[in-house]
Amino acid sequence: MTNLSQKATTLLELHKPGNPVVLPTVWDVWSANLAISAGFTALTVGSHPVSDSLGKPDNEGITFEELLTRVSQITSAVDAPLSVDIEAGYGQDPKRLIDGLISAGAVGLNIEDTVHSEGGRLREAQEHADFVGSLRAASDATDVHVVINARTDLFVKQIGDENGRVDRAIARLKLAAAAGADSLYPVGFHNDADYKRLATELPLPINAIANPADGDLAHFAELGVGRISFGPLFQASLSKHAEGILARWK
């Protein structure tokens, strides 16, 4: 457990606004080894790419046990801090989620506020914060400070009036921060002004999603971002490149 505790501390310390950690989003041992060989020192597992690799849909189309099996395979192959997208929690209680992740060798998680098992509804702001708080309490009961990346889907689901969406996201994520989150994920592609507002007004490092094929690390740094991941876009970029290679052989 001590090694996991050290990995969790390392992952947390990598989150630096203005000098963001890039966590390539991986889905299996092959992609994880690819990212480590490229020089990255920490990774995140994406729910969409993992589900796709298993031939199942995103949005909790796989079970938590299937996810843990894949996470265990990755952590057995690469010696790096690993965060895992657990979607809305797969209907599991926070203790089961934390214990399962730690047992599989992970030291971080994404938790979103879309409840897929309940028709895709969005958790109320305090409801989501309470879930984050329960995850933090479950983590605190171990000797691994699991790094919690609290995500809101207000932007990707385009909920409510667009003009006030940034304000509502900030209010929602501030509650998650107070409940024990370590970083905050207003997932979506934002303009520079909104990124700067989010980075400035939120009390914790923010996670930005980037397209690895055309994103600019220096620009995200200038905006004050503290963490970058790729969602399903790394897998999609590789797939597009592979299609071009294979097309020559038709």
Side-chain angles (χ1 to χ4, degrees), residues 73-110:
Q73 292 167 350
I74 294 171
T75 58
S76 295
V78 299
D79 186 24
L82 187 72
S83 183
V84 179
D85 179 359
I86 61 169
E87 304 218 46
Y90 293 89
Q92 305 293 313
D93 67 76
K95 184 179 187 303
R96 166 64 179 138
L97 293 168
I98 293 294
D99 290 347
L101 290 171
I102 291 174
S103 69
V107 295
L109 64 86
N110 281 9

Side-chain angles (χ1 to χ4, degrees), residues 34-193:
L34 188 68
I36 294 298
S37 296
F40 292 92
T41 58
L43 307 170
T44 186
V45 172
S47 67
H48 190 155
V50 167
S51 298
D52 198 43
S53 74
L54 294 172
K56 297 184 178 181
D58 191 23
N59 301 331
E60 298 185 3
I62 64 174
T63 66
F64 186 52
E65 287 69 28
E66 286 176 308
L67 177 64
L68 291 182
T69 296
R70 182 54 59 86
V71 171
S72 296
Q73 292 167 350
I74 294 171
T75 58
S76 295
V78 299
D79 186 24
L82 187 72
S83 183
V84 179
D85 179 359
I86 61 169
E87 304 218 46
Y90 293 89
Q92 305 293 313
D93 67 76
K95 184 179 187 303
R96 166 64 179 138
L97 293 168
I98 293 294
D99 290 347
L101 290 171
I102 291 174
S103 69
V107 295
L109 64 86
N110 281 9
I111 183 68
E112 63 194 48
D113 50 8
T114 296
V115 187
H116 303 290
S117 61
E118 298 179 18
R121 74 173 181 89
L122 205 72
R123 288 189 179 111
E124 296 298 327
Q126 188 59 55
E127 180 189 10
H128 188 50
D130 289 344
F131 199 85
V132 169
S134 295
L135 288 166
R136 173 53 62 218
S139 171
D140 287 347
T142 74
D143 67 352
V144 179
H145 181 94
V146 176
V147 179
I148 297 175
N149 189 36
R151 166 177 151 169
T152 182
D153 288 349
L154 277 177
F155 297 99
V156 294
K157 293 176 79 73
Q158 298 184 345
I159 292 177
D161 180 33
E162 181 180 3
N163 292 329
R165 202 169 288 148
V166 174
D167 291 328
R168 295 196 307 279
I170 288 172
R172 176 174 286 258
L173 291 174
K174 280 183 175 180
L175 289 175
D182 297 292
S183 58
L184 304 170
Y185 192 8
V187 64
F189 294 97
H190 310 296
N191 61 45
D192 287 1

Side-chain angles (χ1 to χ4, degrees), residues 17-18 20 190-200 206 208 216-226:
H190 310 296
N191 61 45
D192 287 1
D194 286 347
Y195 266 125
K196 287 180 178 179
R197 271 202 68 195
L198 291 162
T200 299
I206 66 166
D216 187 335
L217 175 58
H219 186 63
F220 279 111
E222 290 173 1
L223 297 174
V225 167

Side-chain angles (χ1 to χ4, degrees), residues 2-24:
T2 300
N3 186 42
L4 282 184
S5 297
Q6 293 170 346
K7 285 182 178 178
T9 298
T10 297
L11 179 60
L12 183 60
E13 291 175 347
L14 288 171
H15 290 65
K16 299 175 181 177
N19 183 23
V21 58
V22 178
L23 303 178

